[in-house]
Amino acid sequence: MAADTSPPRARTFPPRSRPWILTYHSVSDPTDDPYGITVSADRLDEQLTWLRRRGLTGVGIAALLRARAAGRRGLVGLTFDDGYADFLDEALPVLLAHGCTATVFVLPGRPGGSNSWDPLGPRRPLLTEEGIRTVAAAGMEVGSHGMLHRDLTALSDDELRHETHASRDALHRIVRQAPSGFCYPYGTADRRVAASVRDAGYAYGCALVPGALTGPLALPRTHVSHADRGARLRAKEVRHRLRYRSAGTGEAG
Ligand SMILES: [Zn+2]
């Protein structure tokens, strides 16, 4: 059954808090990893165990926002960027074992391709269209990472529209449900980019450090690496709560 990715109802967050959302990429052997974007399946298991001991359950972002709108706490958002094929064999079994869901941000313009935008490599295969459908069928949320993994802030208006609108249409065709979430490649967005994401029909947008943008179209996230274990995770959680404790209302512009 596909994840319920209907748009979250709330457009604002309670004051003094913003949801804590973790950012993963590849789940595989982390030894050749110049960008620090790989976590082993064992380490992911350890990190989810740590969260659970702290009373936190990982969920996809649409579910996270719906739960917060309903006043529910005790959740942390889990996101996997780029749509690496290893999600199915490495991450998914661990997530399911912990009773977690996640949002996987995929690139419908590169089905079955690789991360050729990373000049240092190593090359990692991306999910095929069938793989994207399998992710959705496993109960995970599928979101858009744009078509081709381009820096949206540097694109013309027409190119930007293609990355936001066409990727939503493509994912609608692939999983038969329009995605409610968008993740900005490289974590960067500005007002023009956020407006394009909103106009395409997405209910939320994930950044890394959203800068001056606020609201559901500029959700901040915490990058998680293979080195992150209890003390480091705790430090990242505290940093998130301090940084975003009073910036929780308002719309992205
Ligand atoms: Zn990415």
Side-chain angles (χ1 to χ4, degrees):
M1 195 182 87
D4 179 4
T5 55
S6 57
R9 271 172 294 175
R11 301 291 289 174
T12 58
F13 300 127
R16 299 189 59 77
S17 74
R18 299 189 78 176
W20 195 33
I21 300 174
L22 306 185
T23 302
Y24 290 93
H25 290 80
S26 172
V27 179
S28 57
D29 180 355
T31 48
D32 182 13
D33 186 25
Y35 295 99
I37 60 168
T38 307
V39 171
S40 73
D42 285 347
R43 186 54 48 86
L44 175 63
D45 179 64
E46 190 179 331
Q47 292 165 343
L48 295 183
T49 299
W50 181 86
L51 290 172
R52 200 166 55 182
R53 288 200 185 113
R54 294 185 48 75
L56 294 169
T57 301
V59 295
I61 306 310
L64 175 71
L65 298 180
R66 277 196 307 275
R68 287 174 64 87
R72 187 175 167 207
R73 293 294 182 268
L75 300 176
V76 57
L78 299 179
T79 60
F80 292 78
D81 288 11
D82 303 339
Y84 292 105
D86 55 47
F87 181 86
L88 284 173
D89 291 334
E90 303 291 335
L92 184 59
V94 179
L95 290 166
L96 294 176
H98 283 272
C100 294
T101 59
T103 302
V104 184
F105 291 110
V106 302
L107 296 156
R110 297 182 184 269
S114 73
N115 57 332
S116 54
W117 62 87
D118 281 337
L120 298 180
R123 293 290 152 256
R124 302 184 192 281
L126 303 176
L127 291 163
T128 63
E129 290 192 2
E130 187 58 37
I132 293 171
R133 277 190 285 275
T134 304
V135 167
M140 304 294 131
E141 180 189 0
V142 172
S144 172
H145 202 26
M147 293 296 281
L148 297 171
H149 208 284
R150 306 178 74 186
D151 176 0
L152 303 185
T153 62
L155 299 183
S156 71
D157 288 347
D158 285 348
E159 290 172 319
L160 172 60
R161 183 180 170 82
H162 182 69
E163 291 291 322
T164 56
H165 289 65
S167 67
R168 190 161 193 260
D169 292 344
L171 287 177
H172 194 174
R173 175 183 62 77
I174 292 169
V175 298
R176 298 188 183 86
Q177 185 173 18
S180 62
F182 189 92
C183 173
Y184 306 104
Y186 307 102
T188 54
D190 56 22
R191 286 183 174 275
R192 184 183 67 114
V193 168
S196 181
V197 166
R198 180 194 60 216
D199 293 346
Y202 298 97
Y204 71 86
C206 284
L208 275 175
V209 180
L213 299 179
T214 61
L217 288 170
L219 299 174
R221 296 187 297 165
T222 300
H223 173 76
V224 179
S225 76
H226 187 75
D228 288 333
R229 309 179 82 169
R232 285 176 57 110
L233 279 175
R234 176 70 182 142
K236 288 189 172 185
E237 182 187 16
V238 169
R239 196 179 316 146
H240 167 82
R241 301 210 184 283
L242 289 174
R243 182 177 288 170
Y244 296 109
R245 65 183 171 181
S246 59
T249 57
E251 296 283 318

